[in-house]
Amino acid sequence: MNFSAVRGADTPWGKAFAKALAAGNRHLILIGANEAALEALVREIVQKHRVLVHYLVADDADTGSIINVCEKINDRFEVDLLINYAETGFHRRLEDYDIRSLDRKLKTNHASGILYLHQLLPNLLLHAHARVIDLWHCPHPLSAWEQALLAFNMHFAEHLNLELNDSGLVINSFALTAFSGSELAEKAMVILESAVPGLEKSEEIVK
């Protein structure tokens, strides 16, 4: 039984992707920092869809937390899809951050996605047609140096995708802008349909 792992499932975008996958009859592993929000989403999904849903709490700024979550996933589940969601955006100038808050922000926004992929890669490679969807939410215009960080991550995914071409694993990257309500749900479904061949499309518009 294959599962889809969704990072950031406690965010509006992560929630939209989780619901869209559930509407396509995909079993889910929800990952996020807010346990109450994850529990509520699990209840909402299982009431509407006949899928299995599990959740795991993780701190994306803590390497040990990421390793712990990924070990649990690799021990218990077969994963053929990773929704690798991250929120970008520095709300202050670089020089206005102290080193600890900057370290946390860089790890959470940029480094954590590579760590999740690294830890789940052996699991994903067990499947002939596994997929990784890197999602970068940019809620406001990025400064030049932030754009450079985002470009680095997207180029990294592009080159890794080429390297893994023979394995059957495909990595897609998408920059997400600000959407709300039904627009957000529809955009999530469009991305999934383009990146995951054979995804079942529900007649229900996920709200």
Side-chain angles (χ1 to χ4, degrees):
M1 183 179 295
N2 295 340
F3 282 78
S4 300
V6 182
R7 278 187 61 214
D10 52 350
T11 67
W13 270 113
K15 189 175 181 180
F17 275 89
K19 289 181 176 182
L21 287 166
N25 294 315
R26 301 279 308 189
H27 302 304
L28 301 174
I29 304 164
L30 308 179
I31 306 168
N34 186 328
E35 185 168 12
L38 294 174
E39 287 180 340
L41 181 56
V42 170
R43 288 194 298 270
E44 183 179 350
I45 289 174
V46 297
Q47 287 174 358
K48 294 181 179 178
H49 305 287
R50 305 180 87 176
V51 297
L52 299 177
V53 189
H54 302 268
Y55 77 85
L56 294 167
V57 178
D59 179 356
D60 283 355
D62 182 348
T63 303
S65 179
I66 293 173
I67 291 172
N68 182 53
V69 162
C70 290
E71 284 181 345
K72 289 179 180 178
I73 292 173
N74 289 331
D75 287 344
R76 303 175 189 175
F77 306 100
E78 292 191 15
V79 175
D80 65 352
L81 173 63
L82 169 62
I83 304 296
N84 210 359
Y85 174 83
E87 294 185 344
T88 64
F90 288 77
H91 304 293
R92 290 178 280 169
R93 298 178 304 173
L94 181 63
E95 59 267 32
D96 293 334
Y97 283 91
D98 65 80
I99 188 65
R100 289 180 177 80
S101 59
L102 178 62
D103 176 69
R104 183 173 184 84
K105 195 113 174 110
L106 287 169
K107 285 179 179 176
T108 302
N109 292 12
H110 296 282
S112 58
I114 297 173
L115 296 178
Y116 274 102
L117 177 56
H118 174 269
Q119 292 299 107
L120 295 177
L121 194 56
N123 197 331
L124 290 161
L125 292 176
L126 293 174
H127 305 277
H129 303 289
R131 294 290 187 274
V132 175
I133 302 177
D134 286 339
L135 301 171
W136 304 94
H137 181 208
C138 312
H140 58 78
L142 298 177
S143 64
W145 67 272
E146 290 181 80
Q147 290 177 28
L149 279 173
L150 181 56
F152 167 82
N153 283 279
M154 296 186 80
H155 284 312
F156 169 83
E158 180 182 343
H159 288 293
L160 186 60
N161 188 40
L162 291 173
E163 183 177 312
L164 294 170
N165 185 56
D166 292 340
S167 72
L169 177 68
V170 175
I171 304 173
N172 296 110
S173 293
F174 299 90
L176 304 174
T177 53
F179 284 85
S180 61
S182 62
E183 284 184 318
L184 189 148
E186 290 165 8
K187 180 65 174 177
M189 184 60 77
V190 168
I191 289 174
L192 287 171
E193 289 174 351
S194 69
V196 185
L199 180 72
E200 295 183 35
K201 184 177 180 180
S202 172
E203 294 299 319
E204 175 188 0
I205 299 292
V206 183
K207 301 287 186 185

